[in-house]
């Protein structure tokens, strides 16, 4: 068995966790609201036709969640799941 660096394990964990958090938000908010929020994160392609790479912070994501839903329960969700 090859040695796996702890960073690799951490990275795999966070990738899976991110998918689970998005799944939970979809179920909690409803698909229409969830898609509306995600559509605000999608950037248009550049003139060359390639999409821009964009990383967002958790703080920005939660602020967008609050703005999209009009509810202030994003902080509780953040503490529990993010």
């Amino acid at each position: 068995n090859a040695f796996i660096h702890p960073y690799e394990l951490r990275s795999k964990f966070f990738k899976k966790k991110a998918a689970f958090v998005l799944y939970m938000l979809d179920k909690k908010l409803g698909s229409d609201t969830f898609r509306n929020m995600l559509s605000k994160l999608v950037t248009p392609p550049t003139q060359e036709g390639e999409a821009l790479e964009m990383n967002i912070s958790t703080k920005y994501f939660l602020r967008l969640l609050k703005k999209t839903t009009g509810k202030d329960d994003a902080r509780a969700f953040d503490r529990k799941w993010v």
Side-chain angles (χ1 to χ4, degrees), residues 35-52:
R35 282 190 204 115
N36 182 24
M37 185 186 74
L38 289 183
S39 71
K40 294 176 182 178
L41 295 174
V42 177
T43 57
T46 63
Q47 289 181 350
E48 294 81 31
E50 295 182 17
L52 298 172

Side-chain angles (χ1 to χ4, degrees), residues 55-63:
N55 293 319
I56 62 167
S57 68
T58 302
K59 184 178 179 179
Y60 176 81
F61 184 82
L62 293 171
R63 192 173 37 218

Side-chain angles (χ1 to χ4, degrees), residues 58-74:
T58 302
K59 184 178 179 179
Y60 176 81
F61 184 82
L62 293 171
R63 192 173 37 218
L64 181 61
L65 175 64
K66 180 181 176 183
K67 185 178 179 181
T68 303
T69 63
K71 299 177 184 174
D72 196 18
D73 59 350

Side-chain angles (χ1 to χ4, degrees), residues 23-37 69:
Y23 175 80
M24 287 188 292
L25 279 173
D26 180 34
K27 296 302 175 197
K28 181 178 173 91
L29 300 175
S31 293
D32 290 338
T33 302
F34 183 70
R35 282 190 204 115
N36 182 24
M37 185 186 74
T69 63

Side-chain angles (χ1 to χ4, degrees), residues 2 5 8 10 19 48 54 56-57 60 67 80-81:
H5 192 276
E8 291 179 44
R10 182 176 177 235
E48 294 81 31
M54 184 177 98
I56 62 167
S57 68
Y60 176 81
K67 185 178 179 181
K80 187 171 184 177
W81 298 109

